[in-house]
């Protein structure tokens, strides 16, 4: 909620809660599935990105518009760098433009795209496939995926949170958020 970012204490508490939430989703021993319909933007796209699987309905829009508000999508970058090519990350974050569910599938941000009426069935197919596997093997595999990276999700989220907080306190963030709330274009200096 960009409205609460205008109060520093709330902005810090909110960012820390988002970081804890993303860590909890990512580091649970359970397999997580995001079922996305409509739009997943900014924080919603971040939540989706922290999950093991993402099933999106056709015509869903996904985006990370933080730079348009003078912010840094630092927390989600922790997950994007593990999922996407660097060029695709740069395009998503530097433009802040929304992409279609199909484009998100093409670049690896989404596992499957389904018609809105079939979203539940497509999700159930993944659930059924996962449930065929040994629970301990799934837990170990998920843990190994995390351990094979040069730094942990926790370390990356902590680093990203520092960058995010610095951006939130900047003059650009104040202008970007004010412009968004006032429904005008920001004036960058």
């Amino acid at each position: 909620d960009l409205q609460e970012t205008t109060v520093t204490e709330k902005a810090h508490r909110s960012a820390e809660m988002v970081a804890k939430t993303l860590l909890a989703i990512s580091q649970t021993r359970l397999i997580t599935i995001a079922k996305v319909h409509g739009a997943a933007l900014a924080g919603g796209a971040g939540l989706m990105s922290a999950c093991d699987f993402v099933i999106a309905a056709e015509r869903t829009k996904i985006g990370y518009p933080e730079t348009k508000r003078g912010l840094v999508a630092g927390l989600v970058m922790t997950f994007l760098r593990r999922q996407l090519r660097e060029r695709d990350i740069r395009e998503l974050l530097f433009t802040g433009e929304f992409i279609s569910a199909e484009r998100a599938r093409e670049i690896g941000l989404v596992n499957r795209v389904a018609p809105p009426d079939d979203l539940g069935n497509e999700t159930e197919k993944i659930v059924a496939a996962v449930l065929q596997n040994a629970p301990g093997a799934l837990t170990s595999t998920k843990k190994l995926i995390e351990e094979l990276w040069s730094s942990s999700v926790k370390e990356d989220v902590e680093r990203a949170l520092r960058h995010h907080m610095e951006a939130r306190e900047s003059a650009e963030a104040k202008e970007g958020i004010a412009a968004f709330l006032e429904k005008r274009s920001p004036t960058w200096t």
Side-chain angles (χ1 to χ4, degrees):
D1 181 3
L2 286 182
Q3 189 70 39
E4 74 180 24
T5 63
T6 59
V7 179
T8 302
E9 184 179 309
K10 283 185 180 180
H12 283 260
R13 198 167 48 241
S14 172
E16 288 168 355
M17 289 302 295
V18 169
K20 286 178 183 177
T21 300
L22 294 175
L23 273 172
I25 291 169
S26 146
Q27 295 189 325
T28 179
R29 65 178 181 77
L30 305 172
I31 304 301
T32 57
I33 303 173
K35 188 165 55 168
V36 185
H37 185 273
L41 309 172
L47 289 171
M48 173 194 92
S49 301
C51 291
D52 296 309
F53 291 97
V54 179
I55 300 21
E58 294 170 341
R59 295 183 299 280
T60 294
K61 296 292 180 200
I62 299 165
Y64 306 90
E66 283 83 349
T67 55
K68 291 181 180 292
R69 315 287 180 251
L71 299 171
V72 174
L75 296 171
V76 74
M77 219 179 303
T78 299
F79 304 98
L80 294 181
R81 78 173 191 88
R82 289 168 162 78
Q83 299 164 1
L84 307 179
R85 299 176 312 165
E86 184 179 343
R87 291 271 177 230
D88 293 321
I89 294 169
R90 289 174 184 272
E91 182 178 343
L92 284 172
L93 301 181
F94 291 172
T95 68
E97 295 175 347
F98 304 156
I99 61 171
S100 68
E102 188 54 43
R103 175 72 178 132
R105 190 196 58 73
E106 289 170 3
I107 66 173
L109 191 57
V110 165
N111 296 93
R112 299 183 187 179
V113 177
D117 294 342
D118 200 37
L119 193 58
N121 290 334
E122 198 62 34
T123 303
E124 288 303 316
K125 288 178 188 175
I126 289 179
V127 170
V130 169
L131 290 175
Q132 295 296 312
N133 299 306
L138 287 170
T139 300
S140 292
T141 300
K142 186 169 179 172
K143 186 176 180 183
L144 182 58
I145 289 169
E146 162 69 9
E147 290 175 3
L148 288 175
W149 288 94
S150 60
S151 60
S152 72
V153 170
K154 187 175 186 308
E155 291 168 326
D156 285 352
V157 166
E158 289 168 356
R159 182 180 305 113
L161 184 58
R162 285 192 304 274
H163 283 273
H164 177 79
M165 295 302 230
E166 287 172 12
R168 271 192 180 219
E169 294 170 1
S170 72
E172 287 183 346
K174 288 176 179 46
E175 170 59 16
I177 292 166
F180 176 79
L181 295 174
E182 296 166 10
K183 298 185 184 341
R184 62 174 173 81
S185 295
T187 304
W188 306 120
T189 56

